[in-house]
Amino acid sequence: MNRNDLRRVDLNLLIVFETLMHERSVTRAAEKLFLGQPAISAALSRLRGLFDDPLFVRTGRSMEPSARAVEIFALLSPALDSISTAVSRAAEFDPATSTSVFRIGLSDDVEFALLPMLLKRLRAEAPGIVLVVRRVNYILMPGLLASGEISIGVSYTTDLPANAKRKVLRRSQPKLLRADTVPGPLSLDDYCARPHALVSFAGDLSGFIDEELEKLGRKRHVVLAVPQFNGLSTLLAGTDIVATVPDYTADALTSAGGVRAEDPPLPTRTFELHMAWRGSQDNDPGERWLRSRIQMFFGDPDSL
């Protein structure tokens, strides 16, 4: 196919194809692209004619791609990234007048402790933009970045898509939260004897603190696991329950009153908070502006 032949190819069809490859469902692809299911089905019919291949075969509730579809996707995805980059570089971005929609992913601790400060700055600089926040963790982040459902994610991360970029925003230390009136810091014996609360996205009853205690031949007793940090101070109030949280989350919780923070009575390691973003949007003016503001309000130069 030469350049003239490309004129008869609807770029929107290729976007639908890429979305179907990610979602494996007409329904979910329609939701992702804000289109009706009939429109996605019609686009799929045209794609099958364009490539002279079934492309997807229904298997139960999922649509499995054909070998030809997998081959096309491997070539098409980086090409669409290149097109996106080329268009982005030609675009201008003025925060004061922009009405852009930014879709970002934040872990619960970041959303609770750090987002309020960022939001105030964004409202002052860019009152017309829309910020859509998705909940992420190290498990969800790669898929959301790869599918384009978010352009930036802030969380602890491990594996990322091949075209994603990442930088360290801060290195945090754990802090011990308590709401009791017993004076002085807790000893290790007191710490292990106390009931503990744990913030866990997946509902786990153990975390890195248990790994550190195991090295010392000690254990703790978790009596409460909650999925988010919001409300943790209220849950600790009037009890002898303690919780170990990131330092920036402790700052937000103690500033509201009702709890106090101290260093845990055992050696602990630092944790890196990362910002990751799609490589195809590395030079997008709007995305670069937003990443700079996230760096400004989520980052901690003293810890780097």
Side-chain angles (χ1 to χ4, degrees):
M1 177 179 287
N2 59 38
R3 291 290 193 269
N4 266 345
D5 292 331
L6 282 175
R7 291 184 301 169
R8 62 185 177 86
V9 177
D10 184 351
L11 182 61
N12 291 314
L13 290 180
L14 305 183
I15 301 299
V16 170
F17 172 77
E18 183 184 45
T19 306
L20 283 169
M21 284 295 293
H22 285 301
E23 301 298 332
R24 309 295 172 91
S25 162
V26 168
T27 301
R28 290 196 299 271
E31 292 172 351
K32 173 77 180 297
L33 296 173
F34 303 102
L35 295 171
Q37 290 187 40
I40 298 297
S41 296
L44 178 55
S45 178
R46 292 176 62 191
L47 282 163
R48 284 168 169 161
L50 176 65
F51 292 112
D52 191 24
D53 188 88
L55 297 179
F56 296 92
V57 178
R58 184 169 295 281
T59 304
R61 295 184 177 181
S62 178
M63 296 179 67
E64 293 302 315
S66 67
R68 175 70 174 137
V70 173
E71 178 185 343
I72 293 167
F73 181 68
L75 296 170
L76 180 64
S77 190
L80 289 175
D81 282 346
S82 296
I83 292 171
S84 176
T85 299
V87 173
S88 295
R89 287 179 177 176
E92 294 183 355
F93 179 78
D94 178 8
T97 59
S98 175
T99 57
S100 297
V101 177
F102 294 97
R103 300 179 183 275
I104 67 173
L106 303 178
S107 56
D108 176 68
D109 52 322
V110 172
E111 180 184 337
F112 170 73
L114 302 177
L115 179 59
M117 295 182 294
L118 172 67
L119 186 59
K120 290 177 183 177
R121 179 59 176 259
L122 298 186
R123 293 298 303 156
E125 282 192 44
I129 68 166
V130 177
L131 190 67
V132 179
V133 178
R134 298 283 300 272
R135 181 64 52 81
V136 300
N137 59 13
Y138 72 96
I139 298 173
L140 299 175
M141 177 95 80
L144 291 173
L145 281 173
S147 67
E149 292 177 71
I150 61 173
S151 60
I152 305 170
V154 180
S155 174
Y156 164 74
T157 62
T158 52
D159 297 328
L160 289 173
N163 70 335
K165 295 180 178 290
R166 173 172 60 187
K167 74 179 302 182
V168 177
L169 289 177
R170 64 165 67 206
R171 294 183 175 89
S172 67
Q173 293 277 359
K175 290 290 184 178
L176 170 63
L177 283 183
R178 49 191 293 208
D180 60 80
T181 57
V182 178
L186 291 184
S187 68
L188 181 58
D189 287 339
D190 293 334
Y191 182 80
C192 293
R194 287 288 191 97
H196 287 251
L198 178 68
V199 179
S200 169
F201 182 86
D204 298 323
L205 291 177
S206 63
F208 76 95
I209 285 293
D210 300 281
E211 297 172 6
E212 300 299 329
L213 285 171
E214 188 176 357
K215 295 175 185 177
L216 301 174
R218 310 296 291 267
K219 291 183 178 180
R220 65 173 177 168
H221 181 45
V222 175
V223 300
L224 174 68
V226 293
Q228 57 190 29
F229 286 92
N230 189 26
L232 186 60
S233 295
T234 303
L235 294 172
L236 297 184
T239 76
D240 60 347
I241 300 174
V242 298
T244 308
V245 303
D247 50 13
Y248 52 87
T249 308
D251 289 342
L253 288 164
T254 55
S255 66
V259 293
R260 66 185 189 276
E262 62 189 56
D263 292 330
L266 71 158
T268 56
R269 60 184 186 270
T270 60
F271 288 88
E272 292 182 346
L273 182 65
H274 301 141
M275 174 170 63
W277 63 96
R278 288 167 58 83
S280 61
Q281 293 171 294
D282 189 40
N283 290 303
D284 181 289
E287 294 288 333
R288 292 181 66 178
W289 168 81
L290 181 57
R291 292 198 303 270
S292 73
R293 296 322 184 250
I294 290 174
Q295 172 73 50
M296 184 183 301
F297 287 91
F298 289 5
D300 179 11
D302 293 336
S303 72
L304 299 178

